[in-house]
Amino acid sequence: MRIDAHQHFWTIAERAGQWPPADLAALHRDFMPSDLRPHLEEGGIDGTILVQSLPSAVDTAFLLALANEHPVIRGVVGWADLKAADAPARISRLAQDPKLKGLRPMLQDLADDAWIADPALAPAVAAMVAHDLTFDALVRPRHLPHLLAFAERYPDLRIVIDHGGKPRIGAEPLADWQRRMADLAARPHVACKLSGLLTEAEDGSFEATRPYAEAILTLFGPERVIWGSDWPVLTLAAAYPAWLAQCRALVPAAHHAAVFGENAVRVYRLDAAATDR
């Protein structure tokens, strides 16, 4: 099964004062399943993982409703306040929906870079492990040491680093990012998405991102790299078919089944049965 493990839907009317801003015209509109469907069909993608883009329980409910209406959405990575006093109960309620496969705090937007290393997260993490949920880490390179401390504290929690840790491609040395990612890759419960790199490159070119993509494949190996489009954010830098083709050319053919589907099915505990688009 071929999976796009990272995409977004939103209605702009529900995002007043939130990203994307009105001056980012390419993204300041509704993006819904009918918009993505042609790209999935052209690329031969069988299912997707829909990922939250607002730190909002209302938004997560919206995503789960879409997932239950559209079978091509195989799972949802939602949001919950992981430091709330009743976080375990909130997680338990969300997990009653079988389409919920993981949770993602928006770490890149938080004022405290060390938020993820706070032991106060322990009850929420225990609830995530109990409900077999995956933790998506939306981080930037400055967060990676704190994410490492988090990963070391919770070896039973499946962790997926979104967008390769969002390296500043062309603005900061590759070696610094690579060293920190290697520390995380040494933890077998940590995986990494091959996604979101084009929009982190200063020139938006695939050639600029190639060393980072190759490093992800080398560090995490074919069994812990998960492909995603990051659509529609992707469209700021490239078309869906172009990113998919570039990644298919980069990943050795022998590893296509794993990187473009099997790893997502395993890490996010997806139903491996076929589905109609």
Side-chain angles (χ1 to χ4, degrees):
M1 182 162 59
R2 293 153 294 187
I3 297 293
D4 178 348
H6 200 107
Q7 54 88 195
H8 307 286
F9 293 134
W10 61 66
T11 56
I12 206 66
E14 301 300 321
R15 303 176 74 90
Q18 304 283 344
W19 190 90
D23 60 3
L24 197 60
L27 297 181
H28 195 74
R29 67 174 183 84
D30 295 354
F31 287 94
M32 296 294 281
S34 59
D35 299 302
L36 182 58
R37 183 182 300 270
H39 302 307
L40 301 180
E41 292 177 347
E42 180 181 358
I45 304 298
D46 299 304
T48 76
I49 296 174
L50 177 56
V51 181
Q52 64 81 230
S53 56
L54 282 181
S56 160
V58 172
D59 181 64
T60 295
F62 164 71
L63 302 182
L64 288 169
L66 282 179
N68 284 291
E69 181 181 352
H70 299 276
V72 73
I73 304 171
R74 307 311 298 268
V76 169
V77 174
W79 178 90
D81 183 350
L82 301 182
K83 289 188 182 179
D86 62 344
R90 296 186 189 195
I91 292 167
S92 181
R93 286 194 296 271
L94 284 170
Q96 298 310 302
D97 190 323
K99 284 294 184 81
L100 186 81
K101 303 299 181 180
L103 294 171
R104 181 174 87 152
M106 303 191 76
L107 301 175
Q108 68 172 13
D109 298 329
L110 298 178
D112 180 7
D113 288 351
W115 188 94
I116 190 65
D118 188 345
L121 287 166
V125 171
M128 290 185 67
V129 172
H131 290 286
D132 207 16
L133 299 177
T134 298
F135 183 97
D136 265 45
L138 177 63
V139 294
R140 296 190 180 277
R142 68 180 186 271
H143 299 104
L144 295 178
H146 306 298
L147 181 61
L148 177 62
F150 178 79
E152 290 174 335
R153 183 175 289 125
Y154 303 113
D156 296 328
L157 177 69
R158 296 188 305 279
I159 298 170
V160 179
I161 304 172
D162 290 347
H163 313 324
K166 303 193 78 169
R168 297 182 62 200
I169 299 171
E172 293 181 350
L174 181 150
D176 293 346
W177 163 86
Q178 188 167 348
R179 182 180 64 255
R180 291 176 175 178
M181 290 293 283
D183 291 337
L184 284 155
R187 277 66 192 175
H189 61 298
V190 179
C192 186
K193 284 183 184 173
L194 180 58
S195 64
L197 295 179
L198 287 179
T199 48
E200 297 303 321
E202 284 191 325
D203 64 359
S205 75
F206 184 73
E207 284 309 308
T209 68
R210 180 183 291 274
Y212 293 83
E214 290 175 342
I216 289 170
L217 288 166
T218 299
L219 291 172
F220 290 88
E223 71 282 353
R224 288 189 288 141
V225 175
I226 302 171
W227 181 80
S229 68
D230 196 27
W231 182 95
V233 183
L234 167 69
T235 61
L236 295 174
Y240 193 106
W243 172 244
L244 178 57
Q246 289 162 347
C247 291
R248 282 177 170 165
L250 176 72
V251 176
H255 304 317
H256 276 204
V259 172
F260 294 97
E262 290 173 357
N263 293 343
V265 170
R266 184 186 73 255
V267 171
Y268 288 99
R269 303 296 197 260
L270 304 184
D271 180 357
T275 184
D276 293 331
R277 294 191 185 93

